[in-house]
Amino acid sequence: TGPLCVPELLVLQVPARALLEGDTVTLRCRGWRDKSVFWVRFYHGDQEVGRPLDGTELSLSPLQLKHSGHYRC
């Protein structure tokens, strides 16, 4: 199987706990059924928020109220 490039088959993982202002959160983008993913971009609403330097993870720190909302990769 080759690398995954279809956005509908990506999974955005976030911590399953309450987050508070000042915390650090790591967003992780994975392929459905553990397929490989490359060239990941993260979006907050329709705005690109970053391209991870280390592959498929993006850290937001320190969290601020402006970070609230919907994310996708």
Side-chain angles (χ1 to χ4, degrees), residues 25-72:
V25 66
T26 299
L27 306 177
R28 181 175 296 117
C29 190
R30 293 184 42 224
W32 183 253
R33 296 189 179 174
D34 292 322
K35 297 232 184 230
S36 297
V37 293
F38 303 97
W39 306 297
V40 173
R41 294 180 186 184
F42 289 89
Y43 295 87
H44 180 212
D46 291 330
Q47 296 280 34
E48 184 176 336
V49 292
R51 296 179 190 176
L53 298 176
D54 60 350
T56 60
E57 296 182 356
L58 179 72
S59 289
L60 301 174
S61 177
L63 281 181
Q64 300 173 14
L65 190 56
K66 69 179 183 178
H67 291 121
S68 298
H70 297 280
Y71 287 81
R72 64 186 172 90

Side-chain angles (χ1 to χ4, degrees), residues 4-17:
L4 184 67
C5 61
V6 179
E8 293 81 18
L9 298 178
L10 297 176
V11 177
L12 179 63
Q13 292 181 313
V14 295
R17 62 176 178 85

